[in-house]
Amino acid sequence: MTGGTDSTRPSAGLFSLRQVLAIGWVTLTTVVFFNVLIKLVDRQLFGTNTRIPKFWPLSKFTLRIERLPMPEAPLLAAMALAVFVVATVYLLRTDRTSVVPVVIAGVALLVLTTLTHGVGPGLLRPLSAPGSYERAAIGIADPGGYYEAAVTVTDPVRFLETFEQRQLSLPLHARTHPPGAVFTFYLFEVLLPSSLAVSLAVGGLSLALAAVLLFGVLETYYPRDVAQFTTFLFVLLPAIQIYALTTLDIVITVVMLGAIYCFTRESQLVAALGTLACVFVASTQTFVFVFIVPVLAALAAIRPAKRRPLVVVLVGLVGAYVLLAVVFGFDYLDSFAIASQQQNPEGFLLFAEPLRYLYTRIEDVAEIVLFFTPYLGLLAFAGARVLWRSARGLSTHDREPLVLFGAAVVSILGLFAGGVYHTGETARGALFVYPFLLIPVAAALRAADATARRKALLAAAVFGQALLMQLVGDYWW
């Protein structure tokens, strides 16, 4: 399987140390420049208050250098670096291409880097939405998350039957999502003995599943060693290391990946029913599950064999919600309208607050790019060119990586155009887009055929940025 790549190298064996340092410096200065420029333009030309983040493009962020837990944070950071070095050496010096070492390393690094915040702020605080930064900084949170709503559920059936009536009285985040978001944490709360166990299980198990599914998708189109290393880069991403533990968004990422994995299988049964199950679960977690529909449709457009499974998915999804409406009285569209009204009380953001719409659209994209790292961003650009050049004349199967990537980019930009994500937070809220951005990275890695040393340097640059961001800042939602 060619995976839609050719022998053209996007760079001479990936980045050198000098290039890594230069790219890092340019990225830092660029972020600072635009952080100042956007605020200056807004203040001088418009004189408006569009709630531009203090640390653009990070919406929910504050510096915490002076509040680092000492000596725990440096020790945990050193342990994380040791795990990273061992994992990198093992992956690059062995011929084994199993995803298991990637999963183990990814979960270990996730827990260690998150613990640099402390158990309270790092593991327990994300279970709820902080009412203020000062309270969040010491691990105290006001009711606002899915977990707060979940622990109050005594009768799941009754909760579903009355969801729309009580939706606006739910905690902040729970009221803008379908009821499945609360049920997810309810299930973990019932099965596990403590909040700490819930936090670790949601983050650790979800990251493990996401890595396995991404590896499965990538090895469909690329050699196993390329799939393995690209999956390793996925678990090292700043977005993953900062936002994967405890958040609902990593759960959503798992079911989105599950839908793509099932849909790309040769079995018609798996492609239809497996994808339907994953899309249905995604739809119960978030209203932006619609992101995945154009991606599936794009694959079906170039592969006629996938059109029947797509019809099964769409018809089955509608049928499932008709059944829920008849049996439990739950109206999905009405619930969406309530959530939309909550998010947009004055109507479509473009018409209600044009400047805020413009600024937040820019912020949405910039935050995703920042948390993807400039190194992988450059590789994704190079890989997309490789895919585009080599897709001509290849089989349908070998064009699929380009279609997956392109459809995902178009779909997420469509959501942005529709006004989704008012305050950015896309590195967390759109966590599901990162696996698709890594598809052209895999193409670039294969085309570069880099040495183990250059691959190790790339992994170090990605994880180095993740660890640095984790140490210097506090990210809350």
Side-chain angles (χ1 to χ4, degrees):
M1 299 179 183
T2 66
T5 64
D6 58 19
S7 60
T8 304
R9 295 190 175 195
S11 63
L14 301 184
F15 306 112
S16 66
L17 177 59
R18 179 178 297 180
Q19 289 173 323
V20 165
L21 295 176
I23 292 168
W25 174 251
V26 170
T27 300
L28 178 61
T29 55
T30 301
V31 170
V32 172
F33 172 76
F34 279 105
N35 186 71
V36 175
L37 177 65
I38 287 180
K39 293 175 183 177
L40 181 65
V41 169
D42 182 64
R43 184 171 61 251
Q44 297 297 326
L45 296 185
F46 301 104
T48 59
N49 178 19
T50 52
R51 288 171 281 183
I52 295 173
K54 181 180 180 181
F55 299 99
W56 186 93
L58 305 174
S59 299
K60 305 294 184 181
F61 170 86
T62 189
L63 289 172
R64 71 172 184 123
I65 298 177
E66 72 282 0
R67 291 179 287 98
L68 276 174
M70 301 295 287
E72 294 86 352
L75 289 175
L76 288 163
M79 292 173 62
L81 284 172
V83 171
F84 166 76
V85 169
V86 171
T88 303
V89 170
Y90 176 82
L91 290 174
L92 295 180
R93 290 194 175 182
T94 181
D95 293 331
R96 299 177 182 178
T97 55
S98 169
V99 74
V100 174
V102 174
V103 169
I104 295 172
V107 173
L109 291 173
L110 175 64
V111 174
L112 288 171
T113 60
T114 305
L115 279 175
T116 60
H117 293 264
V119 174
L123 299 182
L124 298 179
R125 186 190 68 195
L127 288 174
S128 55
S132 68
Y133 175 71
E134 289 75 16
R135 290 169 62 81
I138 59 175
I140 300 175
D142 294 331
Y146 319 104
Y147 187 71
E148 265 70 24
V151 296
T152 66
V153 175
T154 55
D155 185 345
V157 173
R158 182 62 180 164
F159 179 81
L160 180 60
E161 291 174 339
T162 61
F163 182 78
E164 294 149 78
Q165 290 72 38
R166 68 169 74 187
Q167 190 169 344
L168 291 179
S169 66
L170 291 172
L172 177 63
H173 289 175
R175 75 181 67 151
T176 57
H177 282 252
V182 175
F183 281 141
T184 294
F185 284 91
Y186 171 79
L187 179 63
F188 279 104
E189 171 66 16
V190 170
L191 295 177
L192 298 172
S194 66
S195 299
L196 181 59
V198 171
S199 177
L200 292 171
V202 171
L205 181 60
S206 296
L207 179 58
L209 289 173
V212 170
L213 289 168
L214 177 60
F215 177 78
V217 171
L218 290 173
E219 73 164 341
T220 304
Y221 306 106
Y222 301 104
R224 283 178 63 90
D225 62 323
V226 173
Q228 182 195 53
F229 187 70
T230 307
T231 304
F232 185 50
L233 294 174
F234 169 72
V235 303
L236 299 179
L237 286 175
I240 294 295
Q241 288 296 313
I242 290 171
Y243 288 123
L245 197 59
T246 305
T247 64
L248 178 71
D249 306 285
I250 188 62
V251 177
I252 295 169
T253 301
V254 170
V255 289
M256 292 283 199
L257 272 170
I260 293 299
Y261 176 81
C262 291
F263 202 68
T264 53
R265 299 309 95 189
E266 293 302 321
S267 168
Q268 290 280 75
L269 187 64
V270 173
L273 299 185
T275 306
L276 172 59
C278 290
V279 173
F280 174 72
V281 173
S283 72
T284 67
Q285 307 297 307
T286 177
F287 292 114
V288 298
F289 83 94
V290 292
F291 160 84
I292 203 66
V293 176
V295 181
L296 299 177
L299 281 178
I302 66 168
R303 286 187 66 182
K306 297 299 180 183
R307 293 171 187 173
R308 183 174 298 177
L310 179 64
V311 171
V312 172
V313 170
L314 298 178
V315 173
L317 188 64
V318 173
Y321 280 106
V322 169
L323 185 63
L324 285 176
V326 172
V327 177
F328 299 104
F330 171 67
D331 189 330
Y332 191 85
L333 294 179
D334 186 45
S335 179
F336 168 73
I338 294 172
S340 180
Q341 176 62 27
Q342 173 70 21
Q343 292 280 70
N344 306 280
E346 298 179 2
F348 184 33
L349 190 63
L350 174 60
F351 303 137
E353 299 181 73
L355 283 178
R356 186 181 172 211
Y357 175 89
L358 173 63
Y359 287 145
T360 53
R361 300 313 91 191
I362 297 172
E363 183 186 334
D364 287 336
V365 176
E367 195 173 57
I368 286 179
V369 172
L370 178 62
F371 280 78
F372 190 55
T373 77
Y375 314 104
L376 295 186
L378 290 171
L379 281 182
F381 180 76
R385 294 179 60 189
V386 170
L387 288 172
W388 178 260
R389 288 197 304 267
S390 62
R392 300 176 183 178
L394 294 179
S395 67
T396 297
H397 178 275
D398 291 325
R399 292 197 299 269
E400 285 185 14
L402 178 63
V403 172
L404 281 171
F405 168 69
V409 170
V410 170
S411 186
I412 194 65
L413 290 179
L415 288 177
F416 291 163
V420 179
Y421 304 116
H422 288 189
T423 57
E425 299 183 83
T426 47
R428 173 192 57 80
L431 195 64
F432 52 79
V433 80
Y434 286 101
F436 296 93
L437 299 182
L438 284 167
I439 291 175
V441 170
L445 288 171
R446 180 177 182 182
D449 191 24
T451 63
R453 183 176 179 180
R454 288 292 177 94
K455 288 181 179 179
L457 184 59
L458 173 62
V462 173
F463 182 66
Q465 180 179 325
L467 183 58
L468 181 63
M469 291 177 68
Q470 188 76 285
L471 289 172
V472 303
D474 199 332
Y475 309 79
W476 74 100
W477 46 92

